[in-house]
Amino acid sequence: MSARQEEPGTPYFILIISYFIFNKTDVFFSYIVFLVAIELHSYLNNPKYDNNIRAVLYIFLIISLLIDKLYIGNTFFTLFYFIYLICDFYIKDELTDTLNRKPLKRDLNKNRNQINAIISIDLNNLKIINDTLGHYEGDKAILTLVELIKEMILKDMRLYRVGGDEFLIVCYNTNKLEIEEFVKKLKERMNKTKYSCAIGVAYKEKNLSLNDLTKIADEAMYEDKKHYKKVR
């Protein structure tokens, strides 16, 4: 079971074959414009959107069409799109299509001065779900959590899967009240499903390293998990 959606590159290659067979330039052009609109919309709604490289490739295709040099655009697109896919494969988690530990380490080192909070999230009772209902149901629980996070996550946050049901959200100069509201609403929405999660938040202080911040967020999350087990 996977939340990873089909990449736009797949129908693109089907369409490019049709273009050379039927010479339907107007259809091909409209399709590329449509893909660019989707990518730019995603980028504008989330400046940290990971697929903005793909949007640039589609723009390059449009330019190559306009100057009647489509073969150059196709060559460029094919080469760099597959490079993008290879890179995407290594930095994305297959089940949830979220970033994994590799980009997390990179981003923590690269953007340390912009990070002001870390949120640690963990599903409750995943082992029980896996043991009693099977891993398929466990995957459904994980995906339920991820889908809610993706619906609610703010522009200045990034989500990473760091373990089986363990996730970190790194906050970049995010307002504290917005973080608290995000955590509150996420727990409320999860509680309306048949699952629940534990959440811990750590805010950056002057003498704290990002490793310390992550540990504090994890400790707060485990305290929240202990509280859940006591009151359930």
Side-chain angles (χ1 to χ4, degrees), residues 23-218:
N23 198 28
K24 300 292 186 181
T25 308
D26 52 342
V27 176
F28 179 78
F29 183 80
S30 299
Y31 179 79
I32 297 302
V33 171
F34 173 70
L35 291 180
V36 172
I38 292 174
E39 299 297 338
L40 289 179
H41 178 267
S42 298
Y43 177 75
L44 290 173
N45 280 283
N46 184 2
K48 298 184 185 302
Y49 181 59
D50 298 302
N51 292 335
N52 50 67
I53 293 175
R54 197 167 64 199
V56 172
L57 292 178
Y58 287 125
I59 292 173
F60 189 85
L61 274 177
I62 287 183
I63 294 173
S64 69
L65 271 170
L66 293 174
I67 64 175
D68 198 25
K69 299 290 184 182
L70 183 60
Y71 67 93
I72 296 177
N74 286 333
T75 302
F76 184 89
F77 183 96
T78 301
L79 174 63
F80 284 93
Y81 187 79
F82 277 104
I83 292 174
Y84 156 78
L85 287 180
I86 292 171
C87 294
D88 189 65
F89 176 80
Y90 283 103
I91 68 171
K92 290 285 187 72
D93 170 62
E94 183 176 3
L95 175 66
T96 62
D97 199 33
T98 57
L99 296 170
N100 59 30
R101 285 181 176 270
K102 292 184 181 69
L104 172 62
K105 183 177 181 181
R106 176 201 65 200
D107 292 344
L108 288 178
N109 289 328
K110 183 180 178 181
N111 305 306
R112 60 177 63 248
N113 293 328
Q114 300 173 8
I115 297 170
N116 71 314
I118 289 179
I119 305 171
S120 179
I121 305 173
D122 191 279
L123 270 171
N124 291 323
N125 299 325
L126 180 64
K127 187 178 187 305
I128 295 174
I129 295 172
N130 284 332
D131 291 345
T132 58
L133 302 175
H135 288 277
Y136 178 82
E137 289 298 324
D139 286 349
K140 282 179 64 176
I142 292 171
L143 289 173
T144 298
L145 173 61
V146 171
E147 286 166 6
L148 286 179
I149 293 174
K150 287 182 177 181
E151 287 177 14
M152 300 171 57
I153 199 166
L154 304 177
K155 291 182 179 180
D156 45 10
M157 295 176 173
R158 294 191 89 178
L159 173 65
Y160 306 83
R161 188 184 185 188
V162 295
D165 61 339
E166 300 172 17
F167 296 88
L168 284 184
I169 295 177
V170 177
C171 303
Y172 295 84
N173 297 320
T174 312
N175 183 280
K176 186 175 180 180
L177 291 177
E178 289 181 328
I179 294 173
E180 292 174 351
E181 186 67 15
F182 168 81
V183 170
K184 178 184 176 183
K185 287 184 177 180
L186 178 58
K187 295 199 77 169
E188 288 175 351
R189 291 191 62 181
M190 275 297 290
N191 288 335
K192 291 179 181 179
T193 71
K194 57 183 178 180
Y195 313 111
S196 66
C197 64
I199 304 177
V201 184
Y203 296 98
K204 184 73 178 293
E205 296 179 7
K206 190 172 182 181
N207 297 322
L208 284 178
S209 68
L210 292 180
N211 285 335
D212 292 335
L213 200 65
T214 302
K215 290 178 182 177
I216 293 171
D218 283 339

